[in-house]
Amino acid sequence: MGLREFFGRRRTPTAAESFPAASATETERAPLTPAELADLEEAWVELRQASQEAGVKSFRACTRDGSRWEDKPESVRAMTRMIKDTHKYTAEEPKGL
């Protein structure tokens, strides 16, 4: 099969089912409880502090499933760890040069 045939062929119904699109009901979450909301705000404070210490001006992130990482404290903390680790390893002087 050549590229022209590959790109020109139409998707079959079974092929379309193998790539399901996220529906609005799947991506909606229940409202956060006051404790969860406080934990989320604490995670955001940690992220802002780590970003400021590392000199990060902006960044973009996304999830593979289309959900919002900004609404999950564990995801916000994972971003904080990534920024701290990146800053730590880039701030160290190269060894052996």
Side-chain angles (χ1 to χ4, degrees), residues 18 31 38-39 49 52-53 55 59 61 69-70 77-78 86 96:
S18 65
D39 189 32
Q49 183 180 12
Q52 188 176 23
E53 290 172 1
F59 64 88
W69 68 270
E70 300 96 340
R77 287 193 173 100
T86 303

Side-chain angles (χ1 to χ4, degrees), residues 1 3-4 8 13-14 18 20 28 33-34 40-41 47 55 70 78 83 91:
M1 173 185 284
L3 285 176
R4 194 172 299 214
T14 56
S18 65
E28 291 179 7
T33 65
L40 180 62
E41 184 57 37
L47 178 61
E70 300 96 340
I83 289 172

Side-chain angles (χ1 to χ4, degrees), residues 10-85:
R10 297 189 184 266
R11 290 176 52 174
T12 62
T14 56
E17 291 173 5
S18 65
F19 297 107
S23 67
T25 57
E26 291 176 353
T27 57
E28 291 179 7
R29 292 187 56 177
L32 297 175
T33 65
E36 292 171 330
L37 195 57
D39 189 32
L40 180 62
E41 184 57 37
E42 183 181 322
W44 272 102
V45 168
E46 294 168 6
L47 178 61
R48 284 187 207 103
Q49 183 180 12
S51 297
Q52 188 176 23
E53 290 172 1
V56 174
K57 305 258 190 259
S58 68
F59 64 88
R60 293 181 182 248
C62 62
T63 61
R64 291 182 181 183
D65 64 356
S67 63
R68 293 179 46 90
W69 68 270
E70 300 96 340
D71 297 338
K72 300 176 185 171
E74 60 274 0
S75 298
V76 175
R77 287 193 173 100
M79 292 297 295
T80 302
R81 283 191 305 275
M82 186 213 43
I83 289 172
K84 285 181 177 181
D85 289 347

